[in-house]
Structure formats: structure tokens, C-alpha cells
Amino acid sequence: MAENGLEENRQVKNTVGFVTPTKKSRYNDTNGEVKSVTKKRDNYIGWDEYFMSVAFLSAQRSKDPSSQVGACIVNQEKKIVGIGYNGMPNNCGDDELPWGKEGDWLDQKYAYVCHAEMNAIMNKNSSDVKDCTIYVALFPCNECAKLIIQSGIKRIMYLSDKHHDKPATQASKRMLDLAQVEYVKYIPKKHKVVIDFYEIDPESRPRPSSSIMSP
């Protein structure tokens, strides 16, 4: 038995796997009776991990066959005020404009696609996004940098800077530096965040139908 004041972890196994460890601590009440109290879980995700995950989840809505990018704008109260992903402009059919990257400029997606940062800013649910932070998978291009600066966003959290040697990215950083917009590379604490729709209710998970053998 654990001594008073010490914490112990218990891990319960179910049919899906392991549930979150339950932390309990023991203490003596005013009558000297030993009692235990359940503590909060320790393996919850942090704020940056949460908002970057929202950006990546939003990217799953993109119909771009080569690059799915999402963006999430967060205010100083850690409230999400805008979400977006790369896609065609409103009322422009996804099947009527090109998604390719080769050929004449008018036959390339670059002439038409709205980037995730633009859509997140335009989709804001607040009066403005001044002093907000935007979470993005890729470092913003020069066009998105203009929008970020003009909208008043003051901080960028990005995961990848794989286009750092391209003129568009170099121009972006030049403008962001002049406008004193901070940009910080996000370092994930874990490789992936898994969403399991049946974790909340494992019993509702569909089960394979049993096969009936004919005699």
C-alpha cells in the first residue's frame, strides 16, 4: 500500500487498448481517516499541439491532390477565431478549374487556389484578428504574408519551411521582419495525434458480422 501523500497510477485495460491512467493521491481528513482523490490526467495535449492539430484536421477538407494545408487563428484568450484550408474560391466549381502544377499558367492551380491563411482570415468569426497567432503547416508565401500583416496578426506558428529557398518565401520573411511579425517553428512533442471516434464509447464500435456456414 502507498504511503500517505504519495501518488500511485493505475492503468486499466479494456477491449480497445489502454485507457488514460487514473492518478490518485491519499490524504488524511480531519477525522484522521485515509481517503483517496482522483487527480486530473497528465497526458492531455498542450495548447500549441491542440491548435496545430486543428490546422492539420482542417487541411483534410482540402481537395488539392498534391498539398493539403490548414490554418487556425487564435486570439490572446486562446480562443479559435478563424479556420481555413486551401481550396478554390467560393462559387468556383472544384471540377471546373485546374488542380495541376504544369503547363501554361492559366492551366495551373496557382492562378486560382486560395491559400489556407487567406481563408482563415476571411472566415474569421470575430470583428478582427489583431494581435492573434496563426498556426499553419507550411511557412506562408509572400501573398499570405501580406494578408497576415494587413490583418494585424502578430505571430506565426509554422511546422515546415521546406520552401525556404524560394523567392516567395524569402520575400515573405523580409516583409514579416519589417512588420515585426514573429514567426516560430513548431516542434511536435509526438509524431501524430490520433482521433478515435469510438474511444468515448467502445461498445458502439461496429463489430464484424459473424459468418454463417451452410451445412
Short mmCIF file of all heavy atoms in Angstrom, two decimals, residues 30-73:
data_model
loop_
_atom_site.label_atom_id
_atom_site.label_comp_id
_atom_site.label_asym_id
_atom_site.label_seq_id
_atom_site.Cartn_x
_atom_site.Cartn_y
_atom_site.Cartn_z
N THR A 30 -10.03 15.38 8.41
CA THR A 30 -9.97 15.98 9.76
C THR A 30 -10.17 14.94 10.86
O THR A 30 -9.76 15.14 12.00
CB THR A 30 -11.05 17.06 9.89
OG1 THR A 30 -12.33 16.50 9.55
CG2 THR A 30 -10.75 18.23 8.97
N ASN A 31 -10.79 13.80 10.51
CA ASN A 31 -11.02 12.74 11.49
C ASN A 31 -9.90 11.71 11.49
O ASN A 31 -9.97 10.71 12.21
CB ASN A 31 -12.35 12.05 11.22
CG ASN A 31 -13.53 12.99 11.38
OD1 ASN A 31 -13.54 13.84 12.26
ND2 ASN A 31 -14.53 12.84 10.51
N GLY A 32 -8.86 11.97 10.66
CA GLY A 32 -7.75 11.04 10.61
C GLY A 32 -7.98 9.86 9.70
O GLY A 32 -7.14 8.97 9.61
N GLU A 33 -9.12 9.85 8.99
CA GLU A 33 -9.43 8.74 8.08
C GLU A 33 -8.71 8.92 6.75
O GLU A 33 -8.69 10.01 6.19
CB GLU A 33 -10.94 8.66 7.85
CG GLU A 33 -11.37 7.50 6.97
CD GLU A 33 -12.86 7.46 6.77
OE1 GLU A 33 -13.56 8.28 7.42
OE2 GLU A 33 -13.34 6.63 5.98
N VAL A 34 -8.11 7.85 6.26
CA VAL A 34 -7.39 7.91 4.99
C VAL A 34 -8.37 7.85 3.84
O VAL A 34 -9.21 6.95 3.76
CB VAL A 34 -6.37 6.75 4.87
CG1 VAL A 34 -5.68 6.81 3.50
CG2 VAL A 34 -5.35 6.83 5.99
N LYS A 35 -8.29 8.83 2.91
CA LYS A 35 -9.17 8.88 1.76
C LYS A 35 -8.33 9.07 0.49
O LYS A 35 -7.19 9.52 0.55
CB LYS A 35 -10.19 10.00 1.89
CG LYS A 35 -11.20 9.78 3.01
CD LYS A 35 -12.29 10.83 2.98
CE LYS A 35 -13.36 10.54 4.03
NZ LYS A 35 -14.45 11.54 4.00
N SER A 36 -8.91 8.73 -0.63
CA SER A 36 -8.21 8.91 -1.90
C SER A 36 -9.01 9.83 -2.80
O SER A 36 -10.25 9.86 -2.76
CB SER A 36 -8.00 7.55 -2.60
OG SER A 36 -9.24 6.96 -2.90
N VAL A 37 -8.30 10.61 -3.59
CA VAL A 37 -8.93 11.57 -4.51
C VAL A 37 -8.39 11.34 -5.91
O VAL A 37 -7.18 11.21 -6.09
CB VAL A 37 -8.65 13.02 -4.08
CG1 VAL A 37 -9.27 14.00 -5.07
CG2 VAL A 37 -9.19 13.27 -2.68
N THR A 38 -9.28 11.28 -6.89
CA THR A 38 -8.85 11.12 -8.28
C THR A 38 -8.30 12.43 -8.81
O THR A 38 -8.95 13.48 -8.68
CB THR A 38 -10.02 10.66 -9.17
OG1 THR A 38 -10.52 9.42 -8.68
CG2 THR A 38 -9.57 10.49 -10.61
N LYS A 39 -7.11 12.38 -9.41
CA LYS A 39 -6.47 13.57 -9.94
C LYS A 39 -6.73 13.69 -11.44
O LYS A 39 -7.16 12.73 -12.09
CB LYS A 39 -4.95 13.50 -9.70
CG LYS A 39 -4.55 13.54 -8.23
CD LYS A 39 -4.79 14.92 -7.65
CE LYS A 39 -4.16 15.06 -6.28
NZ LYS A 39 -4.31 16.43 -5.74
N LYS A 40 -6.43 14.84 -12.00
CA LYS A 40 -6.59 15.04 -13.44
C LYS A 40 -5.57 14.19 -14.21
O LYS A 40 -4.52 13.83 -13.68
CB LYS A 40 -6.39 16.51 -13.81
CG LYS A 40 -4.96 17.02 -13.60
CD LYS A 40 -4.85 18.49 -13.98
CE LYS A 40 -3.41 18.98 -13.81
NZ LYS A 40 -3.28 20.42 -14.12
N ARG A 41 -5.88 13.88 -15.46
CA ARG A 41 -4.97 13.11 -16.29
C ARG A 41 -3.78 13.98 -16.70
O ARG A 41 -3.89 15.20 -16.79
CB ARG A 41 -5.68 12.57 -17.53
CG ARG A 41 -6.34 13.61 -18.39
CD ARG A 41 -7.21 12.97 -19.48
NE ARG A 41 -6.41 12.45 -20.57
CZ ARG A 41 -6.27 13.07 -21.74
NH1 ARG A 41 -6.86 14.24 -21.95
NH2 ARG A 41 -5.55 12.54 -22.69
N ASP A 42 -2.65 13.33 -16.95
CA ASP A 42 -1.41 14.04 -17.26
C ASP A 42 -1.10 14.10 -18.76
O ASP A 42 -0.32 14.94 -19.19
CB ASP A 42 -0.22 13.40 -16.54
CG ASP A 42 -0.28 13.60 -15.03
OD1 ASP A 42 -0.81 14.64 -14.61
OD2 ASP A 42 0.20 12.72 -14.30
N ASN A 43 -1.68 13.20 -19.54
CA ASN A 43 -1.26 13.11 -20.95
C ASN A 43 -2.18 13.86 -21.91
O ASN A 43 -2.38 13.45 -23.04
CB ASN A 43 -1.16 11.63 -21.36
CG ASN A 43 -2.48 10.90 -21.23
OD1 ASN A 43 -3.36 11.32 -20.48
ND2 ASN A 43 -2.62 9.80 -21.95
N TYR A 44 -2.77 14.95 -21.44
CA TYR A 44 -3.56 15.80 -22.33
C TYR A 44 -2.61 16.62 -23.21
O TYR A 44 -1.46 16.86 -22.84
CB TYR A 44 -4.49 16.73 -21.54
CG TYR A 44 -3.79 17.61 -20.54
CD1 TYR A 44 -3.28 18.85 -20.90
CD2 TYR A 44 -3.63 17.19 -19.21
CE1 TYR A 44 -2.63 19.66 -19.99
CE2 TYR A 44 -2.98 17.99 -18.29
CZ TYR A 44 -2.49 19.22 -18.68
OH TYR A 44 -1.84 20.01 -17.78
N ILE A 45 -3.08 17.05 -24.38
CA ILE A 45 -2.21 17.80 -25.29
C ILE A 45 -2.15 19.27 -24.86
O ILE A 45 -3.09 19.80 -24.28
CB ILE A 45 -2.68 17.69 -26.75
CG1 ILE A 45 -4.07 18.28 -26.93
CG2 ILE A 45 -2.66 16.23 -27.21
CD1 ILE A 45 -4.55 18.27 -28.38
N GLY A 46 -1.02 19.92 -25.18
CA GLY A 46 -0.83 21.33 -24.85
C GLY A 46 -1.54 22.23 -25.83
O GLY A 46 -2.09 21.79 -26.85
N TRP A 47 -1.52 23.53 -25.56
CA TRP A 47 -2.23 24.49 -26.40
C TRP A 47 -1.68 24.51 -27.83
O TRP A 47 -2.45 24.45 -28.80
CB TRP A 47 -2.15 25.89 -25.79
CG TRP A 47 -3.05 26.11 -24.61
CD1 TRP A 47 -2.68 26.35 -23.32
CD2 TRP A 47 -4.48 26.09 -24.61
NE1 TRP A 47 -3.78 26.48 -22.53
CE2 TRP A 47 -4.91 26.34 -23.29
CE3 TRP A 47 -5.45 25.89 -25.60
CZ2 TRP A 47 -6.25 26.39 -22.93
CZ3 TRP A 47 -6.79 25.94 -25.24
CH2 TRP A 47 -7.18 26.19 -23.92
N ASP A 48 -0.37 24.62 -27.97
CA ASP A 48 0.20 24.66 -29.32
C ASP A 48 -0.12 23.39 -30.09
O ASP A 48 -0.44 23.43 -31.29
CB ASP A 48 1.72 24.87 -29.26
CG ASP A 48 2.10 26.28 -28.84
OD1 ASP A 48 1.27 27.20 -29.02
OD2 ASP A 48 3.23 26.48 -28.36
N GLU A 49 -0.02 22.27 -29.42
CA GLU A 49 -0.32 20.99 -30.05
C GLU A 49 -1.79 20.92 -30.46
O GLU A 49 -2.14 20.40 -31.53
CB GLU A 49 0.01 19.86 -29.08
CG GLU A 49 0.03 18.48 -29.70
CD GLU A 49 0.55 17.44 -28.72
OE1 GLU A 49 0.56 17.71 -27.50
OE2 GLU A 49 0.95 16.36 -29.18
N TYR A 50 -2.65 21.46 -29.63
CA TYR A 50 -4.08 21.47 -29.91
C TYR A 50 -4.41 22.31 -31.15
O TYR A 50 -5.08 21.85 -32.07
CB TYR A 50 -4.81 22.02 -28.68
CG TYR A 50 -6.28 22.31 -28.87
CD1 TYR A 50 -7.15 21.34 -29.38
CD2 TYR A 50 -6.80 23.56 -28.53
CE1 TYR A 50 -8.50 21.62 -29.54
CE2 TYR A 50 -8.14 23.84 -28.69
CZ TYR A 50 -9.00 22.87 -29.19
OH TYR A 50 -10.33 23.15 -29.35
N PHE A 51 -3.90 23.53 -31.17
CA PHE A 51 -4.22 24.43 -32.29
C PHE A 51 -3.58 23.97 -33.60
O PHE A 51 -4.18 24.10 -34.67
CB PHE A 51 -3.80 25.86 -31.94
CG PHE A 51 -4.54 26.44 -30.77
CD1 PHE A 51 -3.86 27.06 -29.73
CD2 PHE A 51 -5.92 26.38 -30.72
CE1 PHE A 51 -4.55 27.59 -28.65
CE2 PHE A 51 -6.62 26.91 -29.64
CZ PHE A 51 -5.93 27.52 -28.60
N MET A 52 -2.35 23.44 -33.52
CA MET A 52 -1.73 22.93 -34.74
C MET A 52 -2.49 21.70 -35.24
O MET A 52 -2.64 21.50 -36.46
CB MET A 52 -0.27 22.59 -34.49
CG MET A 52 0.51 22.23 -35.75
SD MET A 52 0.59 23.57 -36.98
CE MET A 52 1.90 24.60 -36.27
N SER A 53 -3.00 20.90 -34.33
CA SER A 53 -3.80 19.74 -34.73
C SER A 53 -5.09 20.17 -35.42
O SER A 53 -5.54 19.53 -36.38
CB SER A 53 -4.12 18.88 -33.50
OG SER A 53 -2.96 18.34 -32.92
N VAL A 54 -5.69 21.26 -34.94
CA VAL A 54 -6.89 21.79 -35.59
C VAL A 54 -6.57 22.24 -37.02
O VAL A 54 -7.35 22.00 -37.95
CB VAL A 54 -7.47 22.96 -34.77
CG1 VAL A 54 -8.58 23.66 -35.55
CG2 VAL A 54 -8.01 22.47 -33.45
N ALA A 55 -5.40 22.86 -37.19
CA ALA A 55 -4.99 23.28 -38.53
C ALA A 55 -4.82 22.07 -39.44
O ALA A 55 -5.27 22.09 -40.60
CB ALA A 55 -3.68 24.08 -38.45
N PHE A 56 -4.20 21.02 -38.93
CA PHE A 56 -3.99 19.81 -39.74
C PHE A 56 -5.31 19.09 -40.02
O PHE A 56 -5.50 18.54 -41.09
CB PHE A 56 -3.00 18.88 -39.05
CG PHE A 56 -1.57 19.13 -39.46
CD1 PHE A 56 -0.87 20.21 -38.95
CD2 PHE A 56 -0.93 18.30 -40.36
CE1 PHE A 56 0.44 20.46 -39.32
CE2 PHE A 56 0.38 18.54 -40.75
CZ PHE A 56 1.07 19.62 -40.24
N LEU A 57 -6.22 19.10 -39.06
CA LEU A 57 -7.52 18.49 -39.29
C LEU A 57 -8.29 19.26 -40.35
O LEU A 57 -8.94 18.66 -41.22
CB LEU A 57 -8.31 18.45 -37.98
CG LEU A 57 -9.71 17.83 -38.06
CD1 LEU A 57 -9.63 16.37 -38.50
CD2 LEU A 57 -10.42 17.95 -36.71
N SER A 58 -8.21 20.59 -40.31
CA SER A 58 -8.88 21.42 -41.33
C SER A 58 -8.35 21.11 -42.72
O SER A 58 -9.09 21.14 -43.70
CB SER A 58 -8.68 22.90 -41.01
OG SER A 58 -9.20 23.23 -39.74
N ALA A 59 -7.05 20.80 -42.80
CA ALA A 59 -6.43 20.51 -44.10
C ALA A 59 -7.07 19.30 -44.77
O ALA A 59 -7.02 19.16 -45.99
CB ALA A 59 -4.93 20.28 -43.92
N GLN A 60 -7.67 18.42 -43.97
CA GLN A 60 -8.30 17.23 -44.54
C GLN A 60 -9.52 17.58 -45.40
O GLN A 60 -10.02 16.75 -46.14
CB GLN A 60 -8.70 16.27 -43.42
CG GLN A 60 -7.52 15.72 -42.63
CD GLN A 60 -6.49 15.04 -43.54
OE1 GLN A 60 -6.83 14.12 -44.29
NE2 GLN A 60 -5.26 15.49 -43.47
N ARG A 61 -9.99 18.82 -45.30
CA ARG A 61 -11.11 19.27 -46.13
C ARG A 61 -10.64 19.70 -47.52
O ARG A 61 -11.45 19.86 -48.43
CB ARG A 61 -11.81 20.45 -45.45
CG ARG A 61 -12.81 20.07 -44.38
CD ARG A 61 -14.08 19.48 -44.98
NE ARG A 61 -14.66 20.37 -45.98
CZ ARG A 61 -15.45 19.98 -46.97
NH1 ARG A 61 -15.72 18.70 -47.12
NH2 ARG A 61 -15.95 20.86 -47.83
N SER A 62 -9.33 19.91 -47.69
CA SER A 62 -8.81 20.39 -48.96
C SER A 62 -8.95 19.32 -50.05
O SER A 62 -8.73 18.14 -49.81
CB SER A 62 -7.34 20.78 -48.81
OG SER A 62 -6.80 21.13 -50.07
N LYS A 63 -9.28 19.78 -51.25
CA LYS A 63 -9.41 18.87 -52.40
C LYS A 63 -8.16 18.90 -53.28
O LYS A 63 -8.13 18.26 -54.33
CB LYS A 63 -10.64 19.24 -53.21
CG LYS A 63 -11.95 19.13 -52.41
CD LYS A 63 -13.13 19.58 -53.24
CE LYS A 63 -14.43 19.47 -52.44
NZ LYS A 63 -14.46 20.41 -51.30
N ASP A 64 -7.15 19.64 -52.85
CA ASP A 64 -5.90 19.71 -53.62
C ASP A 64 -5.23 18.34 -53.59
O ASP A 64 -4.95 17.80 -52.52
CB ASP A 64 -4.98 20.76 -52.99
CG ASP A 64 -3.79 21.10 -53.87
OD1 ASP A 64 -3.22 20.17 -54.48
OD2 ASP A 64 -3.43 22.27 -53.94
N PRO A 65 -4.96 17.75 -54.75
CA PRO A 65 -4.38 16.41 -54.78
C PRO A 65 -2.92 16.33 -54.34
O PRO A 65 -2.42 15.25 -54.00
CB PRO A 65 -4.53 15.99 -56.25
CG PRO A 65 -4.51 17.28 -57.00
CD PRO A 65 -5.21 18.26 -56.12
N SER A 66 -2.21 17.46 -54.34
CA SER A 66 -0.79 17.43 -54.01
C SER A 66 -0.44 18.03 -52.65
O SER A 66 0.47 17.56 -51.97
CB SER A 66 0.03 18.15 -55.09
OG SER A 66 -0.41 19.50 -55.22
N SER A 67 -1.16 19.05 -52.23
CA SER A 67 -0.85 19.72 -50.96
C SER A 67 -2.13 20.07 -50.22
O SER A 67 -2.94 20.85 -50.72
CB SER A 67 -0.02 20.99 -51.18
OG SER A 67 1.21 20.69 -51.80
N GLN A 68 -2.29 19.50 -49.04
CA GLN A 68 -3.43 19.84 -48.20
C GLN A 68 -2.91 20.63 -47.01
O GLN A 68 -2.14 20.12 -46.20
CB GLN A 68 -4.16 18.59 -47.71
CG GLN A 68 -4.69 17.69 -48.82
CD GLN A 68 -3.65 16.74 -49.37
OE1 GLN A 68 -2.91 16.12 -48.61
NE2 GLN A 68 -3.56 16.64 -50.68
N VAL A 69 -3.30 21.89 -46.94
CA VAL A 69 -2.78 22.79 -45.91
C VAL A 69 -3.93 23.41 -45.14
O VAL A 69 -4.95 23.80 -45.73
CB VAL A 69 -1.92 23.90 -46.54
CG1 VAL A 69 -1.32 24.80 -45.44
CG2 VAL A 69 -0.80 23.30 -47.39
N GLY A 70 -3.78 23.52 -43.84
CA GLY A 70 -4.79 24.14 -43.00
C GLY A 70 -4.20 25.26 -42.17
O GLY A 70 -2.98 25.34 -41.99
N ALA A 71 -5.06 26.13 -41.67
CA ALA A 71 -4.62 27.24 -40.83
C ALA A 71 -5.64 27.47 -39.72
O ALA A 71 -6.84 27.28 -39.92
CB ALA A 71 -4.45 28.51 -41.65
N CYS A 72 -5.15 27.86 -38.55
CA CYS A 72 -6.01 28.10 -37.39
C CYS A 72 -5.56 29.39 -36.72
O CYS A 72 -4.38 29.53 -36.35
CB CYS A 72 -5.93 26.93 -36.43
SG CYS A 72 -6.88 27.11 -34.91
N ILE A 73 -6.47 30.34 -36.57
CA ILE A 73 -6.15 31.63 -35.94
C ILE A 73 -6.68 31.63 -34.51
O ILE A 73 -7.84 31.28 -34.27
CB ILE A 73 -6.76 32.80 -36.73
CG1 ILE A 73 -6.25 32.77 -38.18
CG2 ILE A 73 -6.39 34.13 -36.08
CD1 ILE A 73 -6.90 33.83 -39.06
#
